[in-house]
Amino acid sequence: MASITLTGNFDPMRQSLQRVADIGREPQAVLQAVGHIVLNSTRDRIRRQVQPDGSPFEPLNPVYALTKEGPGILRGPDFQTGLYGSLTARATGNVLRWGSNKVYARVHQFGAVIQPKNGRHLSFEMGGNLFHVDSVFVPARPYLAFTTQDREDMVVELEGFLERAMRPK
């Protein structure tokens, strides 16, 4: 059997491996960086008015679109309000959560049929007209997803963390 024996100070290698292991034990910094990636990706899709698969959002009801505050779908009058302005990403321990705390966020992601809770009809004003209807259908306009591009960007980010961890200090 052939062998090689190495001698000397292996502290720099041991320290680098320790920093790599620390990333796995405490991934919050990496997850926060990934959160920034998916948050920007989600915002970009809303700006471009497309779903995670690249297809366009379902158009707004034309009557609603006449009086909607602000341009576009999932946005208010500016990029600070509406669902767009409520998007956040937060890493805690080994968990990353991103999305919106708006009560209507789930409706836009998955779609919904809204029915009256009390009474026989939903009553609302839209486009200057008063409506009384049995239900309202809101089509799904998915905006949250972890796309192939997000995965690729995440790998690049993780490689950067590992590269920095491996550098001798």
Side-chain angles (χ1 to χ4, degrees):
M1 176 170 121
S3 66
I4 297 175
T5 302
L6 300 173
T7 60
N9 181 356
F10 291 97
D11 284 345
M13 182 176 19
R14 190 178 356 266
Q15 291 166 356
S16 291
L17 291 173
Q18 181 64 46
R19 289 190 298 272
V20 169
D22 289 345
I23 290 171
R25 277 192 293 278
E26 297 180 26
Q28 189 165 343
V30 174
L31 290 174
Q32 194 62 45
V34 170
H36 186 70
I37 289 168
V38 294
L39 186 60
N40 284 337
S41 174
T42 302
R43 287 177 176 157
D44 179 60
R45 284 193 296 275
I46 292 173
R47 278 192 298 272
R48 293 184 297 120
Q49 302 285 274
V50 297
Q51 300 179 103
D53 67 4
S55 62
F57 285 149
E58 288 290 324
L60 294 173
N61 175 307
V63 176
Y64 172 71
L66 291 172
T67 56
K68 177 191 177 296
E69 280 191 34
I73 299 170
L74 306 183
R75 300 188 338 219
D78 55 38
F79 286 104
Q80 306 306 313
T81 58
L83 193 134
Y84 180 97
S86 72
L87 293 171
T88 62
R90 183 168 294 119
T92 306
N94 63 354
V95 176
L96 169 65
R97 287 185 176 89
W98 92 96
S100 169
N101 64 354
K102 295 283 189 189
V103 295
Y104 54 83
R106 181 178 177 80
V107 168
H108 287 294
Q109 179 74 14
F110 300 108
V113 175
I114 301 171
Q115 298 176 316
K117 288 184 180 180
N118 303 315
R120 292 181 33 212
H121 300 290
L122 292 170
S123 296
F124 56 92
E125 187 178 325
M126 186 169 62
N129 297 310
L130 185 60
F131 292 87
H132 303 286
V133 297
D134 294 332
S135 64
V136 172
F137 171 71
V138 179
R141 294 183 177 97
Y143 57 96
L144 292 173
F146 196 65
T147 66
T148 300
Q149 184 63 53
D150 293 335
R151 284 182 188 89
E152 291 171 9
D153 293 344
M154 181 202 69
V155 168
V156 169
E157 190 69 32
L158 181 56
E159 286 172 345
F161 270 84
L162 294 173
E163 182 181 313
R164 290 185 294 277
M166 293 299 293
R167 286 188 197 136
K169 297 249 173 171

